Amino acid sequence: MSEKLKGIAASSGVAVAKAYLLVQPDLSFETKNVEDTDHEEARLDDALAASLSELSLIKDKAISSLGEEAAAVFDAHMMVLQDPEMIGQIKETIRAKKTNAEAALKEVTDMFITIFEGMDDNVYMQERAADIKDVTKRVQANLQGVKLPSPALINEEVIIVAEDLTPSETAQLDKKFVKAFVTNIGGKTSHSAIMANTLEIPAVLGTKNITERVTNGQMLAASGLTGEVIIDPTDAEQDEFRKAGAAFEAQKAEWAALKNAETVTADGKHFELAANIGKPADVEGVNANGAEAIGLYRTEFLYMESDHFPTEDEQFEAYKAVLEGMNGKPVVVRTMDIGGDKKLPYFKLPDEMNPFLGWRALRISLSEAGDGMFRTQLRALLRASVYGQLRIMFPMVALVTEFRAAKKILLEEEAKLKAEGVAIADDIEVGIMIEIPAAAMLADQFAKEVDFFSIGTNDLIQYTMASDRMNEQVSYLYQPYNPSILRLINNVVKAAHAEGKWAGMCGAMAGDQTAVPLLMGIGLDEFSMSATSVLQTRALMKKLDSAKMAELADKALTEAATMEEVLALVDDYTK
Ligand code: PEP
Ligand code: MG
């Protein structure tokens, strides 16, 4: 009997394939007294050898899919596995304490991890601690005869089933084999959804407990269009899903015809359609989908996919590649937004009650601890500015004084570079994300000082509604069409225009086909979304009349009390 469940449709497309569980196994064990310590040492040697050969396979795979540089992290892991000092201490512990290999491994590696993590200000040591943690898990699994999931080694068509997916796990996925993914947690704006959209992998998130209901190899049908998932689908159900997938692909082919078309409404008004990216390789998709600009480059992925703080030169190369790839079209680069659900293995964030309300993004950059990395990033950006049309954007701004402080640091670094004789473009626009209600309310004052706004609705909605964007229990409060949100957006757009500035949006709402008519009516200038939504949005805008959408927006802003009333108005005006 097939079993149905429902999650949040987070990335379009449909797949039917076997489940591949990407779940961390339980590696708890009992500490035992052993007599035959030679046997325990031999078990340890076997587990180390098995781990080494697994890592070498994963590394080869990573080189072919991600390149030499990205695969270098595995060298560090393999070095840990062969560290004579650490292995010697584990064996010594087995002999001295007459304990099993599992317990000795844990005791010694925990000690190393604690020492390295304690060196708070030493990034290199933080990285070593993260490496040891990662590697120990693999050795522990091999000691216990348990297999760790290795997504990089998948070589048949599968649907990934996981609690959640980290960006580094997602980066290892090979689109040829991974046909979709289904997770327990996350929603439309979680970072796994953003990655899925960029990679064009269908995704259903927030099913609550799919990992408990499915076993490895079981058949699944998943629709990223409706959020439906079927476990053990019947032949008829498989057919139905495959048909829906084919219809979606046909629709995509129709949109593709608009790749080189201008984005104009039925009455001739132009809007700028831009795309969001996470790494230089995404530029290909931006151009393939005919976007007119990059409205958001989330640079934190550069930091998250590395095992160390990216150096100025590494960052310069990435920014230059993006600017060159866009051939003079605008590129909005956002300075790093670490914190919230985005963590770095080599930079310790404090344990916080509410990380989304905590030490995040520009708050880190402007702190003493973050000042160095902020300046490094700004220098890399300024140096890259001559390769295209760069716009710099600061995330998570609440105060005008935060913007001023960030801009001051930017100008200081610019002056230093100029003194060194480095060429820098003279037309770099500097703007901010509007994702905190305080900034949305004070947009008129901000507009006097910034060059542009980009509204980050993923955060703006969670902060306005006081509803965690990762928590599916309160996901009903993620209401882009609520009049309160529309009024904030309207306030921002009008404030920008009053000062002759432009306002864009780079949150998921910008590509939401129901929201687009309202945003057109409000007069948003630039819409930045996952590249895969650009053509669909261009097709929609072509059909709509801007004056009529202005009337729709006016009604929604002045007459509606609920999201449902707004939706009814959109329906009326777009029929
Ligand atoms: C947003 O908050 O809308 C946004 C675009 O930023 P992020 O999703 O990276 O937090
Ligand atoms: Mg945000």
Side-chain angles (χ1 to χ4, degrees):
M1 254 287 277
S2 63
E3 189 187 341
K4 290 184 185 166
L5 58 156
K6 182 104 177 140
I8 296 162
S11 176
S12 303
V14 179
V16 179
K18 282 187 208 160
Y20 181 98
L21 257 76
L22 194 55
V23 184
Q24 294 307 326
D26 176 11
L27 293 176
S28 55
F29 60 85
E30 263 176 61
T31 301
K32 287 186 196 145
N33 255 323
V34 293
E35 283 310 316
D36 189 354
T37 53
D38 287 348
H39 177 65
E40 288 307 303
E41 286 187 43
R43 284 183 63 231
L44 177 71
D45 283 333
D46 288 348
L48 289 167
S51 303
L52 200 58
S53 77
E54 282 171 15
L55 276 177
S56 132
L57 271 177
I58 294 173
K59 185 190 160 192
D60 289 347
K61 187 72 200 276
I63 289 176
S64 60
S65 57
L66 302 171
E68 287 277 354
E69 211 175 313
V73 57
F74 298 109
D75 285 329
H77 287 189
M78 284 155 82
M79 260 163 68
V80 173
L81 277 179
Q82 298 170 90
D83 178 356
E85 169 74 25
M86 195 159 78
I87 297 171
Q89 285 201 34
I90 301 170
K91 290 187 173 171
E92 180 55 40
T93 306
I94 293 176
R95 283 194 300 272
K97 296 201 168 168
K98 287 190 170 305
T99 190
N100 52 340
E102 286 88 339
L105 172 73
K106 179 160 172 28
E107 183 178 321
V108 173
T109 52
D110 275 358
M111 182 189 73
F112 275 96
I113 292 167
T114 311
I115 295 172
F116 289 160
E117 278 188 342
M119 301 180 186
D120 257 350
D121 47 358
N122 188 325
V123 170
Y124 178 79
M125 290 304 175
Q126 298 283 333
E127 286 166 15
R128 294 293 74 79
D131 290 341
I132 297 173
K133 260 190 216 166
D134 226 350
V135 170
T136 308
K137 210 160 58 182
R138 186 167 297 280
V139 182
Q140 199 56 267
N142 275 312
L143 271 175
Q144 299 180 27
V146 175
K147 276 271 157 264
L148 279 189
S150 301
L153 301 182
I154 295 171
N155 57 6
E156 59 174 341
E157 290 196 354
V158 294
I159 293 178
I160 299 271
V161 171
E163 168 75 10
D164 188 17
L165 280 171
T166 65
S168 64
E169 280 166 339
T170 320
Q172 289 183 51
L173 303 179
D174 184 342
K175 251 186 76 174
K176 197 162 104 207
F177 299 122
V178 176
K179 293 294 147 193
F181 56 76
V182 184
T183 66
N184 289 351
I185 65 166
K188 271 192 195 312
T189 68
S190 62
H191 291 95
S192 42
I194 292 162
M195 297 287 282
N197 272 295
T198 308
L199 292 167
E200 292 190 53
I201 296 179
V204 179
L205 309 182
T207 61
K208 295 194 177 78
N209 58 4
I210 179 100
T211 52
E212 288 155 31
R213 295 167 71 167
V214 170
T215 54
N216 258 321
Q218 218 171 354
M219 271 315 271
L220 284 184
S223 169
L225 300 168
T226 61
E228 282 167 306
V229 180
I230 307 183
I231 304 169
D232 284 331
T234 62
D235 287 350
E237 284 166 336
Q238 291 192 26
D239 267 1
E240 191 191 316
F241 270 63
R242 287 200 176 98
K243 266 195 202 127
F248 176 70
E249 292 304 320
Q251 171 84 84
K252 264 181 34 183
E254 230 173 82
W255 293 330
L258 294 176
K259 184 183 154 192
N260 297 314
E262 252 199 286
T263 310
V264 281
T265 60
D267 56 333
K269 182 170 163 138
H270 175 258
F271 289 99
E272 183 164 278
L273 274 189
N276 296 347
I277 65 163
K279 53 180 184 309
D282 299 340
V283 173
E284 199 185 316
V286 173
N287 289 320
N289 285 287
E292 294 153 57
I294 287 174
L296 170 66
Y297 174 7
R298 289 182 165 94
T299 57
E300 56 275 8
F301 287 115
L302 196 68
Y303 292 67
M304 289 158 86
E305 283 172 13
S306 173
D307 63 347
H308 59 271
F309 274 116
T311 62
E312 184 180 316
D313 281 342
E314 283 168 347
Q315 295 192 52
F316 166 75
E317 291 301 336
Y319 306 147
K320 176 175 172 236
V322 172
L323 285 159
E324 283 186 336
M326 288 303 287
N327 277 320
K329 290 183 200 151
V331 176
V332 179
V333 182
R334 175 174 81 181
T335 61
M336 71 91 194
D337 181 6
I338 295 301
D341 65 338
K342 291 178 277 199
K343 301 189 171 61
L344 299 179
Y346 49 86
F347 180 66
K348 207 161 166 236
L349 290 167
D351 286 329
E352 297 176 307
M353 290 278 277
N354 297 297
F356 273 111
L357 300 180
W359 204 47
R360 201 188 146 182
L362 195 66
R363 299 167 182 190
I364 298 180
S365 297
L366 292 179
S367 71
E368 211 177 313
D371 181 73
M373 72 168 136
F374 189 44
R375 286 178 189 270
T376 302
Q377 179 166 39
L378 294 175
R379 287 172 68 87
L381 280 168
L382 290 165
R383 282 173 52 200
S385 65
V386 289
Y387 295 95
Q389 193 180 333
L390 174 67
R391 296 170 173 169
I392 296 177
M393 175 159 76
F394 302 125
M396 285 290 290
V397 178
L399 309 173
V400 172
T401 46
E402 286 173 330
F403 171 72
R404 287 181 190 153
K407 176 113 190 237
K408 180 167 170 273
I409 296 175
L410 176 69
L411 294 178
E412 281 168 12
E413 291 310 317
E414 185 176 336
K416 279 192 226 161
L417 283 168
K418 280 189 173 155
E420 291 164 29
V422 177
I424 295 169
D426 56 10
D427 57 352
I428 306 171
E429 292 187 1
V430 183
I432 59 168
M433 302 255 326
I434 298 276
E435 41 193 350
I436 299 179
M441 288 307 298
L442 204 60
D444 57 334
Q445 295 301 327
F446 276 102
K448 294 178 189 161
E449 306 193 28
V450 304
D451 294 321
F452 67 89
F453 292 136
S454 183
I455 306 172
T457 47
N458 305 344
D459 280 314
L460 184 63
I461 297 172
Q462 79 162 341
Y463 296 138
T464 305
M465 294 289 175
S467 131
D468 185 339
R469 69 197 249 188
M470 298 297 286
N471 182 344
E472 82 280 346
Q473 199 129 35
V474 290
S475 62
Y476 72 96
L477 286 162
Y478 177 82
Q479 294 196 355
Y481 327 114
N482 190 288
S484 60
I485 301 295
L486 298 178
R487 287 186 189 190
L488 278 177
I489 294 168
N490 184 55
N491 194 50
V492 174
V493 173
K494 298 292 154 22
H497 291 173
E499 292 293 333
K501 311 288 167 68
W502 61 270
M505 180 179 287
C506 57
M509 184 176 177
D512 176 330
Q513 302 298 293
T514 308
V516 166
L518 291 159
L519 299 171
M520 290 166 69
I522 286 174
L524 189 77
D525 302 291
E526 178 239 34
F527 293 64
S528 193
M529 58 199 71
S530 89
T532 48
S533 298
V534 166
L535 291 170
Q536 180 181 12
T537 308
R538 183 168 292 152
L540 174 67
M541 285 180 167
K542 271 179 128 31
K543 281 194 273 185
L544 300 174
D545 179 278
S546 72
K548 203 167 152 200
M549 293 309 109
E551 215 181 285
L552 157 69
D554 191 49
K555 273 213 155 81
L557 288 165
T558 54
E559 294 174 15
T562 65
M563 163 183 103
E564 289 75 14
E565 288 169 29
V566 172
L567 286 171
L569 282 169
V570 174
D571 221 30
D572 259 6
Y573 274 80
T574 55
K575 264 207 282 261

